[in-house]
Structure formats: structure tokens, C-alpha cells
Amino acid sequence: QFEDFYTTYHDYMAQNVTIGPSETVMDDDFEIPDYSTIDDDRTPIVDYTVYTKKELFREKMHLEFFHMYRMLWRSQTCARDGQALNLQCPESCDLETDQSDCLCTCTGALDESGDAAADFDWENIEPCLYASNKTEQLMHNILSKDMRESMTRMVCTAGAKEGQQLESASPLDVVFWMIHPVLDRLATAKRLATGGAKIKFGEGMGHVAGFATEDWTEYSYYSTDDLKCPGHGKNDLVLSGISMLEWIERSVPGGNANMTNWDFYAATDPLQFATVDYIYDGFTWDHCSAR
């Protein structure tokens, strides 16, 4: 469907667009200043980037499918009507089920015969497709309303196979175990590097960089002005009732019932002995070296 989308809007998508500070879309007749000809130290140099509209669309939208479907599943945080589960998925699918019956689509996007529904309220769930308010504003600036409707209908009817990754049962999806342990290993390498360890990232690719700062950024895609997603804050208590190693529980008065995210982060410092009950046998990234 994306190929059809690009074909339909080929000429428009081939046009250039200039993006300025804070992802501002500059006017079509805007010309980037030639700073080499300006003999004035007081004139600030501003970065501008020229994209084709297709390049910008691919960067901001085409690579965000997982985010889109996750947000459609949790649409109470983004849909205009505030309703959840604007993504409908089968209750279950096994190897015997026809794969065409294992697809997730948006609520109301298809009619009873499986065709696109003419009365589908695409504008209600369009905000769920954007990774940020800036991206939404950017797409509204470069895409016509007809194009945004085509894009939304395309995402909603293409049919997604997301498994358990959309919600809190994601550890049941085997792909989960290809993602989170990799991130834990990389985080461990970076924390060791922050403490002065020299860890090669890959052959000819230099060393793993330590954290420039360990300031805690409280952020969640699922938070809005009216709804805050608890558990992401530095001082949020989220670990009560979870069994932990004795060493970790001893590091916080009262044990894990009083342990914040930051307490847990500090207690699992890989530079300290016996913080966790596992170690990594190495920090080679062969798949990066091979590319």
C-alpha cells in the first residue's frame, strides 16, 4: 500500500522542503542565507536542512509503524474521543489459522464486507500516528488533508501482526527477548565505560562511549496534558512486591517496598560487586562489525 501511496503522490513528494530550527517548515520561496558572504559576527548562523517531502515523510512516518500500532492499541491517550482500543486484533491465532485472519485493523476502518468504510472517522485517530506534537504539526504543514486521510486509512487497513508487543504481556513474544537483553547489555557497557572501562564497540568502530550525563529524564509517549503515565519518574515507587537479590534490597531502607526507579538504577551499578546475579561474557557487537 505504501508503494501505491508514493506512486499516487509522486510529483508532490518529489518537491523540496526546507526545515529550520525546531522543525519549522520554511516558506516555499525561502532561500537559505549564504553565511560566507555575511561579514557580521552578530548574525547568528542557523542550521537549515533541505529534504524532498518523500524523504521527510519516510523519516518521520514510514519508520514509525510499531509506535503507530502501539498507540492505536492505547488510543485513550491520543484519540480525539479518548476511547481505548481503536485497534482491533483477533483474540488468538495459531499455526492452523489462515494468516489473513490474524491481522489487526482500526475500529470501523472496514465495513462488513471487508472493504474500506466510507464513514470511517479517520480524523479521530490520526493523532495516534505521530510520535510527537512536532511531528504532527510538521505533517499537517507538508501534507494536504486528502493525503493525511489516505495515509491514515492505509495504516488502519493494511493489517498488522504485532503479537504481544502492543501491551504489557510483551515478554510472551519471543521478539521481546531479542530487544531488551540487548539494551541491558549496551546499558551495562555504557555504565562501565562511564566508570573508565575501555570497551571496544566493534572492529574498527572505536570504543563504547560512557554516559555524558546520568540525569533522569521523565518522559512517556503515553502522557498527555490531562493524563500522566506513572512509573516513569526518577522517584516513582514501582517495584514493590517484586523479589530482589538480598544485596539490592539491603541498599534501600525498608527494602523494595520503598525502592524508586533511581534507587534500583543505583543498586544495580555494574561497577559494584554483587549487585546482580549475572555478568556478560563480553561486549562484542559482531552484527555491527559485519555490516
Side-chain angles (χ1 to χ4, degrees):
Q1 292 192 35
F2 256 108
E3 290 303 321
D4 292 341
F5 181 83
Y6 287 137
T7 299
T8 301
Y9 298 106
H10 175 272
D11 292 344
Y12 181 83
M13 286 295 205
Q15 298 174 10
N16 285 341
V17 59
T18 302
I19 303 299
S22 300
E23 297 190 343
T24 303
V25 178
M26 311 307 294
D27 294 334
D28 290 341
D29 59 355
F30 175 80
E31 294 185 7
I32 298 176
D34 184 357
Y35 291 106
S36 65
T37 65
I38 300 176
D39 188 18
D40 183 358
D41 293 338
R42 294 172 298 177
T43 301
I45 297 177
V46 179
D47 288 330
Y48 297 96
T49 306
V50 178
Y51 299 86
T52 65
K53 291 179 178 178
K54 181 177 180 179
E55 289 172 338
L56 192 59
F57 181 82
R58 286 179 63 89
E59 178 181 316
K60 299 297 184 181
M61 302 300 298
H62 201 164
L63 303 178
E64 289 286 346
F65 278 112
F66 178 70
H67 165 78
M68 292 179 190
Y69 290 117
R70 177 183 284 257
M71 293 303 290
L72 286 168
W73 179 264
R74 307 177 184 196
S75 54
Q76 72 274 13
T77 66
C78 55
R80 292 181 178 179
D81 63 5
Q83 297 300 305
L85 301 178
N86 267 286
L87 190 70
Q88 290 186 325
C89 299
E91 287 292 329
S92 63
C93 277
D94 55 33
L95 295 177
E96 313 305 322
T97 305
D98 191 298
Q99 289 302 294
S100 63
D101 295 326
C102 291
L103 303 177
C104 302
T105 56
C106 293
T107 304
L110 300 174
D111 58 24
E112 293 181 357
S113 62
D115 298 322
D119 59 351
F120 174 51
D121 185 7
W122 65 272
E123 290 181 282
N124 175 53
I125 53 87
E126 182 199 4
C128 299
L129 308 189
Y130 303 116
S132 67
N133 291 335
K134 281 188 177 181
T135 299
E136 181 175 10
Q137 184 178 8
L138 186 60
M139 290 301 110
H140 276 243
N141 280 331
I142 72 168
L143 301 180
S144 68
K145 186 174 181 178
D146 286 344
M147 294 178 72
R148 296 194 339 261
E149 179 178 0
S150 295
M151 173 190 71
T152 306
R153 286 181 174 274
M154 175 176 59
V155 170
C156 281
T157 60
K161 297 179 185 178
E162 290 291 349
Q164 301 288 350
Q165 292 281 1
L166 292 177
E167 33 86 13
S168 298
S170 53
L172 296 176
D173 191 321
V174 294
V175 178
F176 174 96
W177 299 102
M178 298 171 62
I179 300 172
H180 286 260
V182 171
L183 295 177
D184 181 66
R185 186 162 68 114
L186 180 57
T188 299
K190 290 183 72 66
R191 294 183 75 179
L192 290 171
T194 303
K198 297 292 185 182
I199 302 172
K200 283 189 175 182
F201 188 81
E203 195 62 38
M205 299 177 67
H207 293 82
V208 174
F211 287 114
T213 174
E214 290 186 286
D215 292 341
W216 190 281
T217 301
E218 182 174 353
Y219 179 74
S220 170
Y221 274 132
Y222 312 114
S223 293
T224 65
D225 292 338
D226 301 319
L227 173 69
K228 296 301 180 185
C229 185
H232 295 261
K234 177 178 180 178
N235 296 314
D236 285 356
L237 298 170
V238 296
L239 300 170
S240 119
I242 298 176
S243 298
M244 297 188 187
L245 295 177
E246 182 183 352
W247 168 272
I248 295 178
E249 290 207 31
R250 283 206 316 266
S251 69
V252 177
N256 64 351
N258 297 322
M259 186 172 291
T260 65
N261 281 321
W262 183 257
D263 290 332
F264 181 76
Y265 180 78
T268 56
D269 184 352
L271 291 169
Q272 302 295 322
F273 177 72
T275 55
V276 292
D277 59 352
Y278 63 89
I279 61 172
Y280 288 103
D281 63 352
F283 295 101
T284 58
W285 308 90
D286 298 332
H287 58 289
C288 294
S289 302
R291 291 180 65 86

